[in-house]
Amino acid sequence: TAVDGMLFQMLPAFAKELGEYRRKWHRTFHPTTKFSESFVELCDADGKTVKSMRVIKGAPDVIALLANPDAGKGGQLFSRVEKALASAAAAGQRCLGVAHMDIAPPKESGKARAGLGGLERLEGVTELAEAASAKQFGEWHFDGLLLFSDPPRSDAKQAVDDALELGLQVKMVTGDHVSVAKEICHDLGLGHNVV
């Protein structure tokens, strides 16, 4: 994806810290779970797995709920993430949450674990949060937020203006957080009615 491309461009700046991590499998972003996931291993100089973890990035509110499921939407982490998200959106920035789960390394060095340990069977955020609360698959640790700029294309405002001038109704459909959608609608002159 474009976001992954942006992150991979940043890798050289973190090569020293990340050089020994190897991604063993990856599941792309899914609209039901609202995150993507990777299984990564830290290996020593001999190639032996020292540490294994699952890493997720995606909708900040979902990541916050998975990392602190018992507190739910009333928890301090969720509240702080929502405030940071609103602040980022007001500044025209998008935001992704990141969390990791430490897991026991595979018994045989160099072998990646197949599948998601049952996580792939769950449907939607509610079941994921329930599983996280029960610590069914381990415990997620919230690592932080990735902020980045992803403005509308330079010709988008003119296209919207042209369509409105022709008497067309213009609607925007997005999977972004409501605060981000409101900012984009404002930038494009689409009003403030965001559902």
Side-chain angles (χ1 to χ4, degrees):
T1 67
V3 172
D4 289 329
M6 172 196 66
L7 295 174
F8 282 118
Q9 285 180 349
M10 296 171 54
L11 279 178
F14 300 98
K16 185 176 180 182
E17 292 88 355
L18 299 176
E20 299 302 317
Y21 281 96
R22 297 183 190 147
R23 185 169 75 175
K24 301 306 257 183
W25 56 257
H26 177 73
R27 183 174 69 147
T28 59
F29 179 86
H30 193 277
T32 303
T33 60
K34 300 194 182 302
F35 61 79
S36 63
E37 180 176 19
S38 292
F39 177 92
V40 296
E41 294 178 338
L42 174 62
C43 300
D44 63 16
D46 298 325
K48 182 179 177 188
T49 301
V50 177
K51 180 179 181 180
S52 299
M53 70 175 105
R54 292 162 65 179
V55 180
I56 54 176
K57 72 171 171 24
D61 50 341
V62 172
I63 303 300
L65 283 174
L66 289 174
N68 193 9
D70 297 328
K73 291 185 177 183
Q76 184 179 17
L77 175 61
F78 188 85
S79 175
R80 288 174 53 202
V81 166
E82 285 291 300
K83 285 178 186 172
L85 185 57
S87 177
Q93 296 179 315
R94 292 184 63 198
C95 185
L96 290 174
V98 180
H100 78 278
M101 176 191 296
D102 293 320
I103 56 177
K107 294 193 188 292
E108 296 177 40
S109 179
K111 273 198 168 177
R113 291 187 174 186
L116 304 174
L119 197 59
E120 72 276 9
R121 294 189 318 264
L122 302 178
E123 293 291 330
V125 175
T126 302
E127 286 190 24
L128 286 165
E130 288 171 0
S133 183
K135 299 193 179 17
Q136 189 174 345
F137 303 105
E139 188 172 350
W140 291 106
H141 302 279
F142 187 80
D143 294 316
L145 300 171
L146 295 170
L147 300 175
F148 57 97
S149 179
D150 186 20
R153 288 177 25 166
S154 60
D155 60 348
K157 173 79 169 107
Q158 186 62 52
V160 168
D161 290 344
D162 292 347
L164 292 172
E165 191 173 305
L166 292 170
L168 300 173
Q169 282 190 334
V170 178
K171 307 285 184 189
M172 180 179 79
V173 178
T174 180
D176 282 324
H177 192 275
V178 172
S179 58
V180 174
K182 284 182 179 179
E183 188 63 27
I184 292 170
C185 284
H186 172 76
D187 291 349
L188 297 178
L190 292 174
H192 303 289
N193 186 17
V194 175
V195 181

